Amino acid sequence: MRLLQVDFANYRSLAHTELLECGNFNVLIGKNNSGKSNILSAIDLFFRYFRQVSGIASPWSQQHLVSDRYGRKDQQPIKLSAALLLDDDELSPVVAGIEEESPQLRHALRDAHDYHRLEIELCFTGGPDPVGYVASVALVSDSAPTSQKMLLRLDDAVANEIAAKAHEASTLRDRREALAEAGLAVGADDYMRFKDRRPGMSTSLLLRRLNIHSEVIRDVDTLIVESADYASFKANIDAMVLDHDQIITRVLQTPITGTFNIFAGETAVVPNYITDLLSALGNVKILHLGDRREPIGQREAARLLQLKMSRGGGPLLGQIQSTVNTLLGVSIDAFAGDGRIVSSRETTAELDVDDFLVQLNGSGIREALRLILDVEFAHPSILLVEEPEVHLHPSLEHAVMNYLFAISEKAQVIITTHSTNFLDSAGTQNVYLVRRMANLPDAATTQIHHLKSGEAEVEIPGELGLRLSSVFLFDTLIFVEGLSDESVYRQLCDGLELNLSRTNVGFVPMGGVRNFTHYAAGAVMDFLHKRQVKMAFILDHDEQSPDEINRLKALVGVTAEVHVLERREIENYLLDDPYAIAEYISSKRELGGLGPVSIDVPEIQAVLKDECDKLRDFTIGRRVIKQVCRPWFVSRSALSDETGQHLIDAVVSELARLRAELDKLEAGAPNLVRDATEKVGAEWEGRKLQLVPGDLLLDAVFKRYGVRFRKESDGSRLARLMDSSKIAKDLRGILESIAR
């Protein structure tokens, strides 16, 4: 079950706004007090309702405050609507439940298994005694968003009646449980002591000492006074419990006067498939980590120590220790403390980080550990994190970002942040800009804007005031061509167990090799070199000639290393593990609701060869384009010192020179194509998978199975699945050199 969309109305600063197109990893950015935390709180409230309420309506007065309503207007209803993606295992019980309760509707449900989008509206009424209720539940078609099957629709009046009935039953049930507990708490000796109490001594005072619930103290007191002996007292209290059982049954069986709509039509009874569906929502594991998190310490140490001492807990402890070491570059362990007893069942436990008590470590390590351990212990389905970068050094920010991104393979992640490191589009499926906009005279409204990749580059810096100075906090800077390259290199390093956090490595995306001279400018190189920052460039080979590669290396001299891949681009190295490609295609199909598919390695290898051969002419064309589409310039130096007629003559001469060069290029066009064809042909059979554009080849293979390969989001995921033994020797050498 995954969130696709959430609509908010009248909740705190969210007058009316939407969180659209939610992916596995989602980032909310914006200034302080823009409403980011309110978005996460609203999502948490949506699922918390289903955890706490077993029916479709319930009083909410003790759990909801006037201050949670937009503009503090008590009469305004709060509405939270969510669209969720159901997999086949989650959808099938719903369809089966409808068919079981209404067999006559099977014809209407013939296409229901194509309705994987579940839309639910939750409403909290206004007034002094608010009611929370499920206003509507619908299944929406995968292919036709306007086609839906309404499973439930409820209005305020019926919701209030159902909630009143639920409240009455809940009150009686609490009282019944309190009576039963009182019957167990009062023993024969207690009964005699109460009977023999001194004149004026209150039985109520004695009952409170036994922790008897205050709601039933008077009833128990009366029964003690009226009962002839202890046996009579026990019989009377058992009879009172039985009376409450009968009253509860009568209340629950009494039909409501109003009706509401379900799939089969109007009814006054909630169908089981709705109850089961709402119960499934209540079982969704939500972990909401606020910006003010409890300091790490005794509780976490005790849990780790329990794993260490429990049979079967060792592997899980080892996994947590390995995760922490990989991400943060530190070792953790838990030990029994100095023997002091905390309670009769618990001794003190201590958490060590690199042989020091966790309390003696810096706030960055403690905060990162806090987040990692919370997630590892909870295993949430949806993870909500406010400002995960708090107290973190930029290198630790990257480590935490990569951890959260990895977690998003199994759990949906939504974070709020001010950090640039969490805005890397290679690791971020969705970025949302959150703004507080002036709306009404007495309130401001939070608006959520889903940023596309082009908008992000323009709007994020202006909104957050980003600075490039953070890159100078790393010990090693690796300049790569694109945003997606960094995430791929990091995943490959993880696979090779190269710890970039320990060596404090940062990446700088250049936006393509065309910007190499900008980043490799002498002043920049000299400045970083003086600060003893190790620098390296990793460049795609593309269609560059040996002379061009040597020219790039000469630009940086000895101040930085320049590594040029032997293959066309980094994606070409991802072709070396057909098993990983097959596994990732299957997972993408399942995530997209297309269903599983069985793909073996020989099949992937055959498809790779077939699609690669189709790109042969395209590969030749790229080499020709490289020659033809280079910049053509009029020489500025040839014109700068000329005036008058001499300037005119110089302009004419330069234009004539350019015209002659273009004429020469035109005359040699057949040779360009012939030379490119011959060079590609000579290498094709032995190196075809290294020559073609790797991202285009992967996309062509993925399309064979109904999905797409996007290098910005899929490259790092595919790299994560690669067997480290499949990483090519030349690439392994580059990665090992930058991680030293």
Side-chain angles (χ1 to χ4, degrees):
M1 193 175 293
R2 182 167 64 88
L3 274 176
L4 299 174
Q5 175 178 329
V6 189
D7 296 0
F8 314 92
N10 298 319
Y11 181 75
R12 297 184 182 176
S13 64
L14 308 171
H16 183 75
T17 191
E18 302 169 314
L19 185 67
L20 302 172
E21 301 177 36
C22 298
N24 281 1
F25 190 73
N26 309 273
V27 178
L28 307 178
I29 63 170
K31 295 179 179 178
N32 289 329
N33 205 38
S34 60
K36 303 185 299 297
S37 296
N38 292 342
I39 296 169
L40 299 194
S41 294
I43 295 172
D44 183 53
L45 171 60
F46 178 85
F47 287 98
R48 178 156 41 92
Y49 173 87
F50 298 107
R51 287 199 306 272
Q52 297 179 352
V53 176
S54 59
I56 60 175
S58 173
W60 202 256
S61 56
Q62 300 303 317
Q63 306 169 56
H64 213 64
L65 303 176
V66 174
S67 58
D68 282 336
R69 301 180 186 277
Y70 176 71
R72 301 177 68 88
K73 295 182 178 179
D74 188 35
Q75 298 304 315
Q76 289 274 16
I78 294 173
K79 294 184 179 181
L80 304 175
S81 303
L84 303 107
L85 180 65
L86 303 181
D87 60 29
D88 289 337
D89 291 339
E90 294 164 335
L91 177 61
S92 295
V94 180
V95 177
I98 300 175
E99 291 179 342
E100 182 179 346
E101 296 198 18
S102 305
Q104 72 277 13
L105 297 176
R106 286 179 178 170
H107 181 72
L109 292 168
R110 65 187 184 280
D111 60 344
H113 288 284
D114 295 326
Y115 284 60
H116 288 86
R117 183 183 174 104
L118 174 67
E119 295 187 353
I120 297 181
E121 180 182 337
L122 189 60
C123 182
F124 299 92
T125 62
D129 298 310
V131 166
Y133 70 94
V134 182
S136 65
V137 179
L139 291 174
V140 180
S141 170
D142 303 349
S143 56
T146 57
S147 176
Q148 64 174 222
K149 299 184 184 297
M150 185 61 64
L151 306 186
L152 175 72
R153 188 182 294 280
L154 197 66
D155 60 26
D156 281 6
V158 177
N160 284 326
E161 186 178 0
I162 294 174
K165 181 178 176 181
H167 178 64
E168 182 181 1
S170 177
T171 301
L172 288 167
R173 195 176 291 112
D174 289 345
R175 192 176 184 85
R176 184 259 184 219
E177 294 301 321
L179 282 167
E181 290 177 5
L184 296 174
V186 179
D189 292 341
D190 297 317
Y191 174 81
M192 293 306 300
R193 187 164 59 253
F194 297 154
K195 276 288 193 180
D196 297 339
R197 67 185 184 278
R198 296 190 303 274
M201 179 178 288
S202 171
T203 310
S204 298
L205 179 61
L206 297 175
L207 289 171
R208 286 192 182 95
R209 292 177 183 174
L210 294 178
N211 293 320
I212 302 298
H213 196 286
S214 60
E215 292 292 326
V216 300
I217 284 180
R218 181 177 298 177
D219 291 335
V220 175
D221 192 3
T222 301
L223 289 177
I224 290 174
V225 171
E226 294 178 350
S227 299
D229 52 32
Y230 180 67
S232 299
F233 165 75
K234 292 287 289 184
N236 289 335
I237 205 166
D238 288 344
M240 188 174 286
V241 169
L242 182 60
D243 287 344
H244 277 73
D245 285 335
Q246 294 172 347
I247 296 171
I248 292 169
T249 301
R250 187 164 59 251
V251 168
L252 293 176
Q253 291 179 348
T254 301
I256 60 173
T257 59
T259 60
F260 51 91
N261 292 317
I262 60 172
F263 188 69
E266 287 193 1
T267 184
V269 179
V270 181
N272 290 332
Y273 63 83
I274 288 293
T275 303
D276 293 342
L277 179 59
L278 301 185
S279 177
L281 284 169
N283 290 330
V284 174
K285 292 184 179 179
I286 304 292
L287 178 60
H288 182 190
L289 302 178
D291 56 350
R292 296 181 180 179
R293 296 185 272 276
E294 181 182 342
I296 191 169
Q298 166 68 27
R299 184 167 63 93
E300 291 71 31
R303 297 190 69 172
L304 291 173
L305 184 59
Q306 183 64 34
L307 288 176
K308 190 175 183 179
M309 298 171 62
S310 301
R311 182 179 292 109
L316 179 56
L317 174 62
Q319 178 184 330
I320 293 174
Q321 289 173 322
S322 176
T323 298
V324 170
N325 184 261
T326 299
L327 291 169
L328 308 182
V330 299
S331 299
I332 64 169
D333 205 350
F335 303 94
D338 57 10
R340 289 181 296 109
I341 301 298
V342 176
S343 69
S344 59
R345 298 182 180 179
E346 183 181 1
T347 60
T348 57
E350 295 176 348
L351 177 60
D352 277 13
V353 178
D354 280 349
D355 299 325
F356 291 95
L357 284 175
V358 66
Q359 291 85 350
L360 302 180
N361 283 262
S363 58
I365 288 292
R366 296 200 309 270
E367 284 294 328
L369 273 177
R370 160 86 285 156
L371 186 151
I372 293 170
L373 293 181
D374 279 347
V375 173
E376 293 297 322
F377 286 137
H379 297 293
S381 299
I382 298 178
L383 175 61
L384 311 173
V385 187
E386 299 182 29
E387 300 184 21
E389 74 275 12
V390 172
H391 300 304
L392 300 186
H393 182 279
S395 63
L396 277 182
E397 283 188 24
H398 277 295
V400 170
M401 179 186 73
N402 288 335
Y403 174 70
L404 292 174
F405 185 51
I407 287 297
S408 70
E409 292 288 337
K410 299 178 181 178
Q412 193 169 24
V413 178
I414 306 176
I415 69 172
T416 69
T417 186
H418 299 119
S419 170
T420 63
N421 291 331
F422 287 89
L423 308 181
D424 180 354
S425 63
T428 305
Q429 295 178 4
N430 288 300
V431 177
Y432 301 87
L433 181 61
V434 181
R435 289 172 170 161
R436 193 79 172 268
M437 310 292 289
N439 187 27
L440 300 176
D442 57 346
T445 303
T446 293
Q447 295 294 327
I448 307 171
H449 180 45
H450 188 188
L451 296 175
K452 308 301 180 181
S453 58
E455 296 172 325
E457 293 177 3
V458 174
E459 294 197 55
I460 291 174
E463 185 69 14
L464 298 183
L466 307 185
R467 298 182 179 181
L468 297 178
S469 58
S470 61
V471 301
F472 301 128
L473 297 177
F474 294 99
D475 296 326
T476 301
L477 288 179
I478 309 300
F479 296 82
V480 295
E481 290 198 29
L483 287 170
S484 60
D485 292 0
E486 174 186 348
S487 57
V488 172
Y489 289 128
R490 286 187 177 276
Q491 292 300 333
L492 294 175
C493 284
D494 285 347
L496 293 170
E497 298 183 352
L498 300 174
N499 198 323
L500 298 183
S501 296
R502 187 179 293 275
T503 52
N504 201 19
V505 173
F507 285 81
V508 181
M510 297 186 295
V513 71
R514 64 185 180 276
N515 295 323
F516 178 88
T517 54
H518 171 72
Y519 285 93
V524 175
M525 293 290 102
D526 288 343
F527 174 74
L528 294 174
H529 185 63
K530 289 176 182 177
R531 294 190 63 256
Q532 299 182 339
V533 176
K534 179 183 175 182
M535 293 166 287
F537 291 80
I538 306 179
L539 307 177
D540 293 343
H541 195 287
D542 293 328
E543 287 78 30
Q544 297 180 93
S545 66
D547 289 340
E548 290 173 308
I549 292 172
N550 290 332
R551 181 181 62 83
L552 294 176
K553 291 182 177 180
L555 283 174
V556 299
V558 297
T559 58
E561 299 174 357
V562 177
H563 303 282
V564 180
L565 301 177
E566 293 182 6
R567 306 183 187 184
R568 190 183 188 280
E569 57 196 25
I570 185 59
E571 284 76 22
N572 291 76
Y573 291 86
L574 304 182
L575 303 172
D576 285 351
D577 193 345
Y579 180 85
I581 296 173
E583 184 178 353
Y584 189 45
I585 289 174
S586 291
S587 68
K588 286 208 75 170
R589 282 180 56 84
E590 290 187 24
L591 184 62
L594 299 178
V597 61
S598 177
I599 314 171
D600 57 25
V601 169
E603 179 182 346
I604 285 292
Q605 290 173 327
V607 174
L608 278 169
K609 182 179 182 301
D610 183 41
E611 293 296 340
C612 187
D613 288 333
K614 294 177 183 179
L615 290 171
R616 177 170 178 162
D617 289 341
F618 185 90
T619 304
I620 294 170
R622 283 291 180 94
R623 297 203 173 200
V624 175
I625 290 171
K626 172 74 175 178
Q627 298 296 319
V628 175
C629 295
R630 65 181 178 86
W632 300 85
F633 299 107
V634 172
S635 172
R636 179 181 291 271
S637 61
L639 307 178
S640 58
D641 296 329
E642 304 295 344
T643 59
Q645 185 61 43
H646 293 292
L647 177 59
I648 295 173
D649 293 340
V651 170
V652 171
S653 175
E654 274 301 294
L655 293 176
R657 179 185 62 78
L658 277 179
R659 193 177 299 111
E661 290 185 17
L662 290 172
D663 289 341
K664 181 180 178 181
L665 179 66
E666 181 180 0
N671 294 332
L672 283 176
V673 176
R674 185 186 65 248
D675 292 343
T677 302
E678 290 177 355
K679 288 180 180 179
V680 171
E683 298 180 271
W684 187 253
E685 287 307 317
R687 298 186 67 237
K688 63 174 72 174
L689 292 179
Q690 302 179 26
L691 299 177
V692 300
D695 61 328
L696 296 184
L697 177 55
L698 282 168
D699 190 37
V701 172
F702 276 47
K703 285 197 292 189
R704 284 277 197 102
Y705 300 93
V707 291
R708 300 296 300 272
F709 176 84
R710 307 293 188 192
K711 62 187 296 183
E712 294 79 10
S713 57
D714 293 325
S716 61
R717 292 192 176 105
L718 181 54
R720 185 181 303 124
L721 295 175
M722 282 191 70
D723 188 326
S724 60
S725 66
K726 301 291 186 181
I727 300 175
K729 182 178 179 180
D730 62 300
L731 181 58
R732 181 189 297 262
I734 292 173
L735 298 177
E736 288 174 348
S737 71
I738 69 174
R740 285 198 296 267

